[in-house]
């Protein structure tokens, strides 16, 4: 639960930072200081690694219960979130970094 809350706070802080960067870029019409997003990307990737590890640890510990238990809907929801996180990293790695659908994927997550 602590990691989920930490991730929620981080998402809020990074959204604020990205918004400020875009406002500054818009106000200066593309000229001026450039913002460094590498620290935010690193932390976001660490959260993704943690949630992926947690997901697979729960699956390996009890694969049958993972699918057939009462919590299977939450497990499938976790699966969708982990896959969206991995897809986000993949798209940022392979595609150009300014794609709008990557930002939309982050908001959905």
């Amino acid at each position: 639960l602590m990691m989920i809350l930490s991730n929620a706070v981080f998402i809020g802080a990074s959204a604020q930072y990205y918004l400020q960067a875009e406002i500054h870029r818009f106000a200066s019409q593309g000229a001026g200081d450039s913002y460094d997003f590498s620290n935010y990307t690193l932390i976001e990737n660490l959260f993704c690694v943690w949630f992926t590890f947690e997901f697979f640890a729960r699956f390996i510990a009890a694969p049958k219960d993972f699918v057939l238990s009462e919590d299977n809907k939450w497990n499938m929801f976790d699966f969708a979130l982990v896959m969206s996180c991995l897809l986000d990293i993949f798209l940022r790695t392979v595609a150009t970094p300014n794609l709008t659908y990557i930002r939309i994927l982050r908001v959905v997550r």
Side-chain angles (χ1 to χ4, degrees):
L1 183 62
M2 189 65 180
M3 288 300 285
I4 294 171
L5 293 175
S6 298
N7 190 30
V9 169
F10 170 74
I11 289 171
S14 64
Q16 177 69 26
Y17 185 77
Y18 289 132
L19 180 63
Q20 286 176 340
E22 287 298 313
I23 290 171
H24 185 283
R25 186 182 64 80
F26 181 75
S28 63
Q29 298 174 346
D33 299 335
S34 63
Y35 283 76
D36 181 22
F37 299 113
S38 60
N39 290 336
Y40 284 99
T41 303
L42 174 66
I43 294 170
E44 186 175 354
N45 290 346
L46 290 174
F47 275 117
C48 184
V49 166
W50 173 264
F51 290 133
T52 303
F53 172 76
E54 178 199 14
F55 176 81
F56 282 113
R58 285 188 294 128
F59 180 75
I60 290 170
K64 188 175 181 181
D65 290 337
F66 191 83
V67 177
L68 300 175
S69 72
E70 293 178 7
D71 291 335
N72 69 342
K73 290 182 175 91
W74 284 112
N75 293 335
M76 294 303 118
F77 179 69
D78 286 346
F79 174 75
L81 291 177
V82 166
M83 292 308 294
S84 73
C85 179
L86 294 174
L87 179 64
D88 181 34
I89 290 174
F90 174 76
L91 290 175
R92 276 188 284 138
T93 304
V94 174
T96 58
N98 291 329
L99 297 174
T100 304
Y101 64 88
I102 293 175
R103 291 184 185 135
I104 293 171
L105 183 64
R106 286 182 186 160
V107 170
V108 169
R109 186 170 30 122

